């Protein structure tokens, strides 16, 4: 699907979301977590869903896949009351200039079809958001906010003050799906908002089988042949000491698996 972000003054990240989701092998071995998230979105017309977890565990990949699936369902016109009328995706990264409250609020106000033009003070935007949500022609909105902890480092009071007002403004019309580490007091404040934490204690690490599937899906044939040379049969199952070592070192974090994949792709393996 083509993203028409050019008509917006404040750019969003829906384009990045779709491009990442469409990349072959980008999301492998997380079926159980994807099903949990998809079911939660279907069950909750509004409120807050929280996907917590350690750095590198795959929160952003799950958010990307979830957001892209919702986007395509909405664009496909699926006849389902649970399908959102609008899907919005915003990603916070500390190194980017748009990781701030002002950009977030003006981005959201513009997506709600506000008649306002020009950058406004974020607190003024928050005051007007209840009216913006109610006048928005979409019956339901799913707003995905990825990497919220990166924003909280810059705006320490965002969750307890601004996000609370944002959720209240969305009332029964908006579902916020948030991915972040549980740090800087984020967890207690989200729980106070009635957030549904999908994975208490954090998103679980990938299993050895999931890591192997991820490696297989992202490795070119020549690299796969190199890996398969290390396969051995043990106790009636095929084991690979190289992959076993990756599983041990990665501790279930896909970010470390991607480092191995980069080595295979560049011929360093």
């Amino acid at each position: 699907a083509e993203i028409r972000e050019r008509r917006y003054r404040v750019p969003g990240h829906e384009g990045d979301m779709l491009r990442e989701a469409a990349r072959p092998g980008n999301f492998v071995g997380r079926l159980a977590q994807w099903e949990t998230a998809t079911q939660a979105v279907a069950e909750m017309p509004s409120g807050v869903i929280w996907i917590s977890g350690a750095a590198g565990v795959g929160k952003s990949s799950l958010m990307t896949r979830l957001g892209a699936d919702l986007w395509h369902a909405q664009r496909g016109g699926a006849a389902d009351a649970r399908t959102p009328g609008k899907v919005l995706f915003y990603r916070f990264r500390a190194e980017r200039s748009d990781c701030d409250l002002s950009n977030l609020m003006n981005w959201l106000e513009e997506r709600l079809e506000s008649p306002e033009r020009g950058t406004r003070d974020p607190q003024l935007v928050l005051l007007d958001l209840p009216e913006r949500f109610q006048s928005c022609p979409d019956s339901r909105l799913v707003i995905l906010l990825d990497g919220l902890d990166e924003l909280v480092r810059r705006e320490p009071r965002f969750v307890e003050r601004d996000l609370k007002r944002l959720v209240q403004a969305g009332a029964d019309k908006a579902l916020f799906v948030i991915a972040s580490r549980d740090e800087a007091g984020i967890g207690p404040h989200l729980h106070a908002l009635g957030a549904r934490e999908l994975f208490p204690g954090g998103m679980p690490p990938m299993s050895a089988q999931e890591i192997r599937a991820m490696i297989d899906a992202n490795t070119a044939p020549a690299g796969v042949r190199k890996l398969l040379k290390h396969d051995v049969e043990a106790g009636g199952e095929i084991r690979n000491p190289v992959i076993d070592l990756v599983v041990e070192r990665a501790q279930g974090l896909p970010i470390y698996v991607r480092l191995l994949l980069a080595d295979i792709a560049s011929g360093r393996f």
Side-chain angles (χ1 to χ4, degrees):
E2 181 181 351
I3 310 294
R4 297 183 177 179
E5 289 182 338
R6 294 181 181 176
R7 69 185 178 95
Y8 291 120
R9 176 180 46 82
V10 183
H13 303 131
E14 289 85 1
D16 293 340
M17 171 191 76
L18 288 181
R19 283 186 288 273
E20 289 178 23
R23 192 179 303 144
N26 182 63
F27 190 81
V28 177
R30 284 296 196 180
L31 181 59
Q33 288 76 39
W34 172 80
E35 289 178 340
T36 297
T38 300
Q39 182 176 352
V41 171
E43 293 173 348
M44 294 180 60
S46 60
V48 181
I49 291 173
W50 181 31
I51 298 173
S52 62
V57 78
K59 301 183 299 297
S60 290
S61 293
L62 178 58
M63 289 283 281
T64 297
R65 170 68 184 273
L66 177 64
D69 286 348
L70 292 169
W71 177 281
H72 289 302
Q74 182 263 320
R75 290 301 187 275
D80 188 333
R82 298 171 301 181
T83 301
K86 182 172 286 186
V87 179
L88 304 177
F89 186 92
Y90 202 94
R91 174 171 287 167
F92 302 104
R93 291 294 180 265
E95 69 275 9
R96 297 202 309 216
S97 61
D98 58 1
C99 181
D100 63 31
L101 181 61
S102 178
N103 204 84
L104 173 67
M105 290 296 102
N106 282 277
W107 164 81
L108 180 57
E109 184 175 46
E110 196 172 18
R111 268 57 175 185
L112 294 176
E113 311 299 335
S114 167
E116 296 288 345
R117 292 293 179 267
T119 301
R120 298 207 299 152
D121 182 284
Q123 297 304 321
L124 294 179
V125 175
L126 277 166
L127 285 174
D128 292 338
L129 276 183
E131 179 183 345
R132 300 285 183 258
F133 273 108
Q134 291 307 312
S135 62
C136 179
D138 299 290
S139 59
R140 183 186 183 221
L141 300 98
V142 176
I143 302 170
L144 298 101
L145 304 177
D146 182 36
L148 187 69
D149 49 287
E150 305 258 1
L151 174 65
V152 171
R153 291 192 191 101
R154 294 187 177 188
E155 305 279 352
R157 296 193 61 196
F158 174 77
V159 179
E160 64 175 308
R161 181 189 62 189
D162 305 316
L163 182 62
K164 179 180 180 180
R165 295 171 63 189
L166 188 56
V167 172
Q168 291 173 341
D172 58 353
K173 198 170 188 177
L175 174 66
F176 294 86
V177 183
I178 294 171
S180 77
R181 305 178 204 178
D182 185 7
E183 58 183 39
I186 290 177
H189 289 308
L190 287 177
H191 288 143
L193 288 176
R196 176 177 174 179
E197 187 176 2
L198 291 191
F199 311 108
M203 191 170 165
M206 297 180 77
S207 67
Q209 291 79 11
E210 289 174 328
I211 289 178
R212 177 157 191 151
M214 183 178 178
I215 293 172
D216 290 344
N218 287 275
T219 307
V224 171
R225 287 193 294 270
K226 287 182 180 180
L227 282 173
L228 291 180
K229 289 180 180 178
H230 299 277
D231 280 357
V232 295
E233 185 174 353
E237 64 177 355
I238 300 298
R239 301 294 300 271
N240 187 303
V242 175
I243 294 178
D244 289 345
L245 182 60
V246 172
V247 171
E248 179 185 344
R249 297 284 177 85
Q251 297 182 337
L253 301 181
I255 190 171
Y256 292 105
V257 183
R258 293 192 184 98
L259 295 176
L260 169 67
L261 294 170
D263 285 342
I264 292 175
S266 64
R268 292 195 296 268
F269 173 76

